[in-house]
Amino acid sequence: LSSDYSQVELRIFAHMSNATNLIQAFIDDKDIHTKTASDIYKVSMDEVTKDMRRTAKAVNFGILYGISSFGLSEDLGIDIAEVDAFAVTVGPGSFTGLRIGISTVRAFAQATNRRVVALNTLEALAYNLSSCDGFIIPMLDARRDEVFTAVYKFCADGGINTVVEPCVMTVSEVAKRYKGEKCIYLGDGAIIHRDEIKDIDEKANFAPANLSEARASALATAAIEKINKGEDVHYNEVQPVYLRLSQAEREYKNRQEK
């Protein structure tokens, strides 16, 4: 005897992520893949074809199970020339990683004559919690008891407000500034310095570990919003954001000052 519960993974995902569109679709007993196809292709559910639904199903389960963008494009037979725009996080982050990522996207954009959305890594991270109320405080470990951080707050319409611009701060500075506020910390910096933050603010909230890493889906959501606002740029304008000098640059500067 075997049994199956219809789309149980997507139902659990909808509940855990508080994805209101998915939740409502399940409440209304709609076919979730048809609903997704309707959103993707911007047609009514009655106009969704079998091929459209098949594509939406691959997207739904592919993203849920962590398929790569390349793997998804291969499964769906999508050529790079069909991409409308590219999105990339420009920092803060690993100096080498940023250079490789930006160079790759610039090359793709140049080859296909497409525009690029350059997104701060901290803002992309914040979009993991776009349905959360209160202050969103992403933290990336910057070593020496410092973090790359910023503070964001999402609006009722899904837009995002930057409360504090990306910067470098000590962990204690951030925790003391927002002690007692309704906020949630996320990112590897929040994981590493959780105890220190809790010592300062015992009511501090932390995102689950699976939401503390940058996700392509969150980056895509943010990128679409920026494209709709006309905030995409020419690929030549995309530059890394480091926030502070590299170790080699700091050592060189120190030698020059001696």
Side-chain angles (χ1 to χ4, degrees):
L1 175 67
S2 64
S3 61
D4 183 28
Y5 192 87
S6 177
Q7 299 158 351
V8 64
E9 306 100 317
L10 289 171
R11 293 173 187 271
I12 294 172
F13 168 77
H15 172 72
M16 293 187 68
S17 64
N18 194 30
T20 53
N21 287 342
L22 276 178
I23 292 171
Q24 193 59 50
F26 282 123
I27 291 174
D28 296 339
D29 199 28
K30 293 179 180 178
D31 181 273
I32 198 63
H33 303 313
T34 302
K35 176 65 171 66
T36 300
S38 173
D39 292 338
I40 291 174
Y41 292 102
K42 295 180 172 58
V43 298
S44 70
M45 291 183 65
D46 292 336
E47 295 175 293
V48 172
T49 65
K50 289 183 178 179
D51 286 340
M52 289 178 179
R53 186 184 183 279
R54 190 179 302 112
T55 295
K57 184 175 182 179
V59 170
N60 281 338
F61 285 111
I63 292 175
L64 189 64
Y65 285 102
I67 194 171
S68 68
S69 55
F70 176 77
L72 185 60
S73 67
E74 287 288 293
D75 286 351
L76 298 178
I78 298 174
D79 188 86
I80 192 171
E82 297 180 54
V83 173
D84 294 321
F86 294 92
V88 63
T89 52
V90 294
S94 159
F95 285 77
T96 301
L98 291 175
R99 287 194 293 268
I100 292 173
I102 292 171
S103 296
T104 300
V105 166
R106 288 179 63 174
F108 284 153
Q110 182 177 10
T112 56
N113 194 30
R114 295 294 189 268
R115 304 276 286 179
V116 178
V117 174
L119 199 70
N120 188 281
T121 309
L122 295 164
E123 184 176 348
L125 197 55
Y127 267 86
N128 286 352
L129 302 176
S130 58
S131 61
C132 292
D133 191 16
F135 295 112
I136 309 299
I137 308 179
M139 286 182 165
L140 297 175
D141 184 41
R143 301 183 181 180
R144 302 197 301 275
D145 198 38
E146 291 182 330
V147 289
F148 300 117
T149 190
V151 181
Y152 302 96
K153 190 173 178 64
F154 285 93
C155 309
D157 63 1
I160 189 171
N161 284 330
T162 302
V163 181
V164 176
E165 293 287 342
C167 60
V168 181
M169 297 178 69
T170 64
V171 176
S172 61
E173 283 180 308
V174 182
K176 288 176 181 177
R177 180 178 296 188
Y178 286 91
K179 181 179 180 180
E181 297 283 356
K182 185 178 182 180
C183 61
I184 183 166
Y185 295 87
L186 72 160
D188 64 358
I191 293 173
I192 293 169
H193 299 287
R194 181 188 181 102
D195 291 343
E196 183 178 352
I197 295 170
K198 275 291 189 181
D199 286 342
I200 295 172
D201 184 4
E202 61 182 16
K203 294 183 179 181
N205 296 304
F206 295 84
N210 66 305
L211 296 180
S212 278
E213 295 182 357
R215 299 188 302 172
S217 57
L219 174 61
T221 300
I224 290 171
E225 289 192 13
K226 290 189 177 295
I227 289 172
N228 291 336
K229 293 178 182 178
E231 296 179 8
D232 49 327
V233 299
H234 189 272
Y235 57 83
N236 278 336
E237 298 178 55
V238 181
Q239 298 295 332
V241 176
Y242 294 131
L243 291 186
R244 72 180 186 192
L245 298 176
S246 67
Q247 181 177 348
E249 289 172 317
R250 291 196 302 272
E251 292 176 352
Y252 175 79
K253 183 178 179 180
N254 289 336
R255 289 197 299 270
Q256 293 297 104
E257 292 175 350
K258 289 181 180 179

